[in-house]
Amino acid sequence: MLVPASTAATAATTAVQACDFPVWAAGRNYVAGDIVRYTNGRYYKASHDNPGYDPVISTWYWDPYTCGGGNPPGGDFVVSEALFKQYFPNRNGFYTYQGLTAALSAYPGFTKTGSDTVRRQEAAAFLANVSHETGGLVYIVEQNTGNYPHYCDGARPYGCPAGQAAYYGRGPLQLSWNYNYKNAGDALGIDLLRNPYLVERDPAVAWKAALWFWNTQTTAPGTIVPHDAMVNGRGFGETIRTINGIECNGGNPGQVQSRIDLYRRSAGLLGVDPGGNLGC
């Protein structure tokens, strides 16, 4: 929509002036409306009073703020908000695009490694697996409650301080088991071992937990981290093997095909060839 030149000039001037905001400080009291510059160079506006909560973790208290025409959270993220909404038309309101883009700073190599084709293929692969694990971002927590008590490995020295049945699957990649919550929390600087419920209550934490697994983990029979599989040319099939390898080698061909179909769709939306090695 076109705007009068005078209005546009005023808006531009306001945007430039609006960039002179203090750096966020943990433990400092903020009131709704305060604007800060975070350590990632991006700006956030307090939506609620808070005692210095982290803007990229406590997203209920902070909203992304575009300052001086700068990039919003996510910057040149290859997945636009419009595409995100198109791919997940029935998503639960918990899974916000803002939560996803706020989480990207935790793993800056995600969808930012290699050629434009590789970046888009990785984004498509991640979205496909997320869609498969959550029914199209409909489910926040694992639906089979009977499994809940099974995810506590009591042999670990730290045990299960949140309770025997507290480490069920949550979030975009359905993070489960006490040791995964412990390791993810340690990597992200969040105590998920004692408060695993953050993964189902804070959208940015949920996305960060999924990105932690995608960018750092491999589970048998998988042999490669999903991020590395996509940027090193191993293909989408290897992401399936790491995320849920029991589906591979004839274990559940229907589930494998479902993931492949979702990957082809997301790759199509992103305008990229899916490449080879799709199955496992």
Side-chain angles (χ1 to χ4, degrees), residues 67 128 166 173 211 225 231 250 269:
C67 180
L173 286 181
L211 289 174
V225 171
V231 303
L269 289 174

Side-chain angles (χ1 to χ4, degrees), residues 35 48 62 73 92 118 122-123 127 165 201 203 215 219 236 260 262 265 272 280:
I35 299 171
H48 300 85
W62 296 93
N92 189 299
V118 170
E122 182 181 13
L127 294 182
R201 295 172 181 169
N215 287 276
T219 56
F236 178 72
I260 293 172
L262 289 166
R265 178 169 178 258
V272 66
C280 62

Side-chain angles (χ1 to χ4, degrees), residues 4 38 40 56 75 89 96 98 109 112 123-124 149 151 173 181 197 205 207 217 220 231 242 247 260 271:
Y38 191 60
N40 60 8
V56 302
T96 63
Q98 290 72 26
K112 300 288 179 64
Y151 296 120
L173 286 181
Y181 280 89
Y197 302 98
V205 172
W207 284 111
Q217 298 301 294
V231 303
T242 290
E247 297 174 359
I260 293 172

